[in-house]
Amino acid sequence: MGLPALEFSDCYLDSPQFRERLKSHEMELEKTNKFIKELIKDGKALIQALKNLSTAKRKFAESLNEFKFQCIGDAETDDEICIAKSLQEFAGVLQNLEDERTRMIENATDVLILPLERFRKEQIAAAKEAKKKYDKETEKYCTVLEKHLSLSAKKKEAHLHEADNQVDHVRQHFYEVSLEYVFKVQEVQERKMFEFVEPLLAFLQGLFTYYHHGYELAKDFNHFKTDLTISIQNTRNRFESTRSEVECLMKKMKENPHEHKSISTHTMQGYLFVQEKRSFVSTWVKYYCSYHREPKRMTLMLFDQKSGGKIGDEESFTLRSCTRRKTDSIEKRFCFDIEAVDRPGVITMQALSEEDRRLWMEAMDGREPVYTLNRDSQNEAMAQLDVVGFNVVKKFIYAVETRGIDEQGLYRIVGVNSRVQKLLGLAMDPKTCADVELDSTEWEIKTITSAIKHYLRMLPAPLMTYQYQRSFIKAAKLDNPEARVAEIHSIVHRLPEKNRQMLELLMKHLAKVASHHQQNLMTVANLGVVFGPTLLRPQEETVAAIMDIKFQNIVVEILIENHERIFKDMPVSGGGQGNSQLNLPRRRSADSKAPSCSERPLTLFHTPTFSEKDKVEKRNSVVVNSSADSVNCNSTHNWTRLNSLPTGDGDHDGLQLAKQNQPNSLQNPKVRSSMSTSPASPSPTSPRSPSWPMFSAPSSPQLASSPSSESSPISTPPRKARALYACKAEHDSELSFIAGTIFDNVHPSREPGWLEGTLDGKTGLIPENYVEFL
């Protein structure tokens, strides 16, 4: 129940019920007064706490802003730069948030504390003053009334009339004060509904503004937060890869420290003890020495390993000779003598071991025989970038894309080593390669993916070569992302032709794998972690090289994300350093011949399209020797590539085995084997040679009716053709083009070995062996 209303008419009656109702109002005002006092006290404590919190957060933000990350190496990845900037970003957000909090705190006193205090002092205090006045008038009225009623009736009329007037005057004043008090009490009760609540609303509005500002900051920060989360995950993945590499190197160093010791033909460095004679006493002083072979300069530095401090200045001199010291000529072991050009006398030095002495003498061309390091000879891998290698990788990639591209952890989960070795051995052996069925459940996807990675590691040199390893790393360290892509684009086209073709094949496949990352969880960054150390491994295994693995990963990421631009388009600049295929010299002569295996993509090629009559004649000319369970093929036989089979640019989309469309004789493995190994099979150097044994199964054979079809492949009306290689025109009558270019109106030219076609409205000559007909 609420408070009862106070009627003005009750002021004249001044009944006990009226007094009870008035008392309930007075108690409510007192309760409100105490509450407001506590609220003001708590509000001031809250404001002080907010100030303390703001001060602490600002100090926290300053600490974040002052700290700077330092990376190992001479450059940072984009992810590391993002992480390094994160602390400053955090500090900026916190500072911005605290600026808004400061504004809220400054306004809190004005919008909350002062209005509440004003309401308590002006309204509730006024009601209390009115109550005091009301109580005083009540007491006065009651006293006058009692005194008046106690007068004797025998008093004079004038005296009684004066007393009556005095009572009436006091009563009237009491009624007026009572009315004013009732009015004030009810006014305060009504005012507190808005004058007390309104400051609280204003304070909460300030809080809401502060939190809304934080919400807006959070929205603006969300993009950076997403990038930072990805960068942290990528950095963690690279850390795991780098840590395992560094740990592996550490274990190798523990097991065979001499094999992994960094030795250069130009420099030798390490600790040596130098004999010094002081006061007729010989002492041995430990120096850190370095020798540069080219100027024959020896430098000695006195250094205390225990304290880690340098003692004295460096001493340097030019070496004249170095002679081994015989054991019986000195009581110390591992000693040798050197003579300097610019220093008199002989300097006797003691190495740390016999091996160390040998290395020093070898570096300084000592008089002892030069020894070579006894490194354990490792069997060189038999993997090569040849026909077999390309076909193995293509077959493996096809199996991965058709069987397990959605498998989680693809390329990250490692297969059993023995099965990986077995699969590679069977697939790379010409005798067993045709019998390897990757569709079988015998070969798990992780075994196939591990075989691909193992093949790339078995190559004598990494796919992206030792020569350009530093160039790729340097490109990945460029600040401008577009400049990185452009530089890597240029370097890729300097790679040897086969390396570039294999790299293109692999990158297009990895792009497909990354496009299914929601299923297989293998993002571009994850694939970079897997393939970076494989494709760009350094020639010398050092910690510094391992720290560059993150940039190797970035190079692979760029290749995957930009594979179409990098491999299909020629670089804008740096063409002078491009691969030899771009500037291949050509002679317009009758003996123009097809490029060799090293000069052309190792892929299947189209044979020309013939008329329906020719096709009937070709089908009728097929001779199947069922008794011998083989097909009799001669040198005029051609294989036609299905439209779904891979093209010269490494396309594997829609690759399917077309066994159901093959003749029955081709379904037989023995027939396929006899065809692939027959001496009469077309030569690998032929521009329209069949698929190599690895890819013979998916193709459908078409046998030519006569040798004339082979010698005159374009005796039909003009057709479209596609370029297999890039070509740079050397004469005005020739066309320049890149691999994959489509020509119109292609027909034979008067010059042997050349075709004539149209490209972008210009008609010119095209090398016959550089194109395939569509």
Side-chain angles (χ1 to χ4, degrees):
M1 290 292 293
L3 294 173
L6 299 176
E7 296 293 340
F8 290 126
S9 58
D10 290 339
C11 295
Y12 294 94
L13 294 176
D14 200 15
S15 64
Q17 292 80 9
F18 168 73
R19 288 283 181 167
E20 286 293 328
R21 290 195 294 272
L22 186 60
K23 187 176 182 179
S24 65
H25 279 264
E26 292 171 348
M27 292 175 63
E28 178 62 25
L29 284 179
E30 184 61 28
K31 179 182 175 181
T32 301
N33 184 47
K34 290 182 178 180
F35 175 70
I36 291 177
K37 287 177 68 176
E38 289 295 324
L39 192 63
I40 291 173
K41 179 181 176 182
D42 294 340
K44 289 181 177 179
L46 173 61
I47 291 173
Q48 186 59 43
L50 289 174
K51 288 181 178 179
N52 295 337
L53 176 61
S54 181
T55 302
K57 280 195 172 181
R58 287 184 184 277
K59 182 65 175 66
F60 180 70
E62 289 175 5
S63 299
L64 289 178
N65 195 44
E66 290 172 0
F67 184 79
K68 305 293 182 184
F69 281 104
Q70 294 294 335
C71 70
I72 299 176
D74 58 350
E76 296 176 324
T77 65
D78 287 346
D79 294 324
E80 289 174 337
I81 292 173
C82 181
I83 292 173
K85 288 171 52 181
S86 63
L87 297 188
Q88 283 68 42
E89 290 286 340
F90 295 159
V93 170
L94 289 176
Q95 291 282 10
N96 197 325
L97 201 59
E98 291 316 304
D99 290 342
E100 184 64 27
R101 191 200 298 275
T102 300
R103 286 190 287 271
M104 180 194 70
I105 292 173
E106 291 173 350
N107 293 332
T109 301
D110 296 333
V111 301
L112 176 66
I113 304 301
L114 294 180
L116 289 178
E117 287 181 341
R118 185 166 54 248
F119 176 75
R120 191 177 69 84
K121 291 178 180 179
E122 294 179 0
Q123 300 300 325
I124 298 180
K128 285 185 176 183
E129 288 295 325
K131 182 181 185 308
K132 290 180 181 179
K133 186 176 180 181
Y134 174 70
D135 291 341
K136 183 178 179 181
E137 291 298 325
T138 299
E139 183 179 358
K140 181 178 178 182
Y141 170 65
C142 292
T143 302
V144 171
L145 186 62
E146 290 175 1
K147 182 179 178 181
H148 175 69
L149 293 177
S150 63
L151 288 176
S152 174
K154 297 179 180 181
K155 292 283 184 180
K156 293 181 180 181
E157 188 68 25
H159 185 71
L160 291 175
H161 184 68
E162 182 181 354
D164 289 342
N165 289 337
Q166 183 181 4
V167 170
D168 288 341
H169 178 74
V170 172
R171 181 188 294 113
Q172 184 63 33
H173 190 261
F174 168 71
Y175 288 156
E176 290 177 358
V177 171
S178 178
L179 287 171
E180 290 176 356
Y181 178 53
V182 168
F183 173 77
K184 189 63 179 177
V185 168
Q186 294 193 120
E187 179 190 18
V188 173
Q189 294 288 8
E190 293 299 319
R191 274 181 176 274
K192 77 177 184 180
M193 302 298 288
F194 56 90
E195 288 196 1
F196 167 49
V197 175
E198 191 174 32
L200 293 174
L201 176 60
F203 177 70
L204 288 177
Q205 183 61 35
L207 279 176
F208 294 154
T209 302
Y210 166 73
Y211 289 125
H212 180 73
H213 183 73
Y215 171 73
E216 292 295 329
L217 276 179
K219 284 204 306 185
D220 295 339
F221 187 71
N222 192 54
H223 179 71
F224 179 79
K225 182 184 71 173
T226 302
D227 292 343
L228 179 61
T229 303
I230 296 173
S231 296
I232 290 173
Q233 185 60 43
N234 292 343
T235 304
R236 178 179 285 111
N237 292 341
R238 291 179 185 134
F239 163 74
E240 293 296 336
S241 174
T242 303
R243 182 184 180 279
S244 61
E245 294 285 341
V246 173
E247 186 176 18
C248 181
L249 177 59
M250 179 185 68
K251 291 179 180 178
K252 291 179 181 177
M253 294 290 287
K254 285 181 178 180
E255 295 171 358
N256 299 298
H258 295 294
E259 290 190 3
H260 295 83
K261 191 173 181 180
S262 179
I263 299 173
S264 170
T265 57
H266 301 288
T267 303
M268 180 67 188
Q269 54 189 0
Y271 285 99
L272 291 171
F273 286 86
V274 180
Q275 186 183 36
E276 295 183 356
K277 295 182 179 180
R278 299 174 183 174
S279 302
F280 306 102
V281 178
S282 294
T283 59
W284 293 85
V285 182
K286 189 177 183 181
Y287 286 88
Y288 188 80
C289 306
S290 59
Y291 175 72
H292 295 271
R293 170 171 283 180
E294 195 64 32
K296 302 186 72 173
R297 198 72 180 166
M298 186 77 167
T299 303
L300 284 69
M301 179 193 301
L302 192 59
F303 186 82
D304 186 7
Q305 286 180 282
K306 295 178 181 179
S307 64
K310 180 181 175 183
I311 305 174
D313 298 328
E314 292 183 356
E315 181 182 358
S316 182
F317 54 85
T318 302
L319 181 72
R320 173 181 293 167
S321 65
C322 174
T323 308
R324 178 174 180 173
R325 191 72 177 264
K326 293 184 178 181
T327 306
D328 55 1
S329 65
I330 192 170
E331 62 179 5
K332 296 283 188 178
R333 299 188 300 164
F334 320 132
C335 294
F336 57 93
D337 294 335
I338 61 174
E339 294 182 16
V341 175
D342 48 357
R343 177 172 171 173
V346 176
I347 305 172
T348 301
M349 294 184 170
Q350 182 186 28
L352 304 183
S353 65
E354 182 63 38
E355 175 70 9
D356 191 40
R357 176 170 65 175
R358 182 183 64 77
L359 293 175
W360 276 104
M361 293 188 62
E362 183 177 301
M364 293 187 289
D365 297 323
R367 297 181 184 177
E368 292 291 327
V370 178
Y371 299 93
T372 57
L373 289 176
N374 294 322
R375 296 183 178 271
D376 294 334
S377 59
Q378 299 179 349
N379 293 328
E380 289 293 332
M382 299 303 295
Q384 299 291 335
L385 289 176
D386 54 6
V387 175
V388 174
F390 270 82
N391 285 327
V392 166
V393 173
K394 287 178 182 179
K395 189 170 184 178
F396 287 171
I397 286 176
Y398 172 68
V400 172
E401 292 182 357
T402 54
R403 284 184 53 200
I405 198 166
D406 291 334
E407 195 166 301
Q408 288 190 2
L410 193 66
Y411 283 106
R412 197 143 201 178
I413 299 176
V414 182
V416 179
N417 186 54
S418 59
R419 296 197 56 77
V420 173
Q421 297 285 356
K422 179 181 178 182
L423 175 59
L424 272 176
L426 293 173
M428 299 185 73
D429 188 345
K431 296 179 181 179
T432 58
C433 61
D435 298 328
V436 177
E437 295 293 341
L438 295 180
D439 291 339
S440 170
T441 56
E442 177 186 1
W443 306 111
E444 296 179 288
I445 290 298
K446 64 181 181 181
T447 303
I448 300 174
T449 55
S450 296
I452 294 176
K453 293 188 293 183
H454 192 66
Y455 165 79
L456 295 172
R457 295 191 195 106
M458 287 166 57
L459 295 173
L463 191 60
M464 298 168 75
T465 72
Y466 293 129
Q467 178 184 359
Y468 295 109
Q469 197 260 356
R470 293 307 307 168
S471 299
F472 279 113
I473 296 297
K474 186 176 180 182
K477 293 180 179 179
L478 294 176
D479 294 334
N480 190 327
E482 182 60 30
R484 294 178 202 164
V485 178
E487 183 64 18
I488 290 174
H489 187 181
S490 175
I491 300 171
V492 164
H493 284 267
R494 299 179 210 163
L495 293 173
E497 184 70 16
K498 290 184 180 180
N499 294 63
R500 186 175 57 80
Q501 291 173 11
M502 179 63 78
L503 188 63
E504 178 182 3
L505 182 68
L506 184 63
M507 291 304 114
K508 187 161 188 177
H509 166 63
L510 294 183
K512 291 181 182 178
V513 173
S515 67
H516 291 73
H517 70 272
Q518 293 184 345
Q519 293 79 29
N520 57 37
L521 307 182
M522 293 304 292
T523 61
V524 172
N526 290 339
L527 291 171
V529 171
V530 173
F531 281 92
T534 298
L535 301 179
L536 265 176
R537 64 182 185 269
Q539 193 162 10
E540 185 178 2
E541 192 175 10
T542 62
V543 174
I546 293 174
M547 290 303 168
D548 276 340
I549 286 179
K550 55 193 175 187
F551 295 104
Q552 298 172 7
N553 302 344
I554 290 174
V555 172
V556 176
E557 292 174 24
I558 292 174
L559 289 173
I560 295 174
E561 291 175 339
N562 304 274
H563 69 281
E564 292 188 358
R565 166 185 168 184
I566 290 175
F567 292 102
K568 288 189 177 180
D569 299 334
M570 295 299 298
V572 177
S573 60
Q577 297 177 351
N579 57 62
S580 59
Q581 183 63 38
L582 301 179
N583 301 315
L584 185 67
R586 292 172 282 110
R587 292 193 301 272
R588 301 164 70 178
S589 60
D591 61 348
S592 175
K593 62 179 180 179
S596 66
C597 289
S598 62
E599 298 170 339
R600 64 179 178 81
L602 299 176
T603 165
L604 303 175
F605 296 85
H606 282 300
T607 53
T609 304
F610 295 90
S611 63
E612 288 298 317
K613 182 178 179 181
D614 293 332
K615 291 180 180 179
V616 173
E617 291 176 357
K618 290 179 182 295
R619 278 198 296 271
N620 293 337
S621 66
V622 175
V623 179
V624 179
N625 188 353
S626 57
S627 61
D629 197 21
S630 63
V631 177
N632 183 15
C633 302
N634 56 37
S635 61
T636 62
H637 295 169
N638 292 316
W639 291 73
T640 301
R641 179 167 60 96
L642 298 177
N643 290 334
S644 60
L645 286 178
T647 62
D649 58 0
D651 184 10
H652 294 269
D653 293 335
L655 185 61
Q656 52 184 321
L657 296 176
K659 292 182 179 180
Q660 63 272 20
N661 297 326
Q662 298 175 355
N664 293 334
S665 60
L666 294 178
Q667 302 277 356
N668 192 321
K670 295 181 179 179
V671 175
R672 291 201 308 270
S673 177
S674 63
M675 292 175 65
S676 63
T677 58
S678 173
S681 297
S683 169
T685 59
S686 170
R688 291 184 297 277
S689 62
S691 164
W692 310 114
M694 274 302 224
F695 261 67
S696 59
S699 304
S700 299
Q702 287 186 348
L703 304 183
S705 58
S706 66
S708 61
S709 298
E710 181 72 20
S711 59
S712 303
I714 49 172
S715 59
T716 57
R719 299 188 304 280
K720 289 181 177 292
R722 171 168 48 207
L724 296 174
Y725 326 104
C727 177
K728 185 176 180 181
E730 297 179 352
H731 302 278
D732 294 338
S733 59
E734 300 174 13
L735 294 177
S736 294
F737 49 87
I738 63 174
T741 300
I742 304 298
F743 304 98
D744 296 320
N745 195 29
V746 180
H747 56 276
S749 168
R750 294 181 179 179
E751 298 196 31
W754 292 80
L755 303 175
E756 192 172 275
T758 303
L759 175 61
D760 297 332
K762 179 182 178 181
T763 300
L765 297 177
I766 310 163
E768 179 180 354
N769 295 319
Y770 276 52
V771 300
E772 61 176 355
F773 285 94
L774 303 179

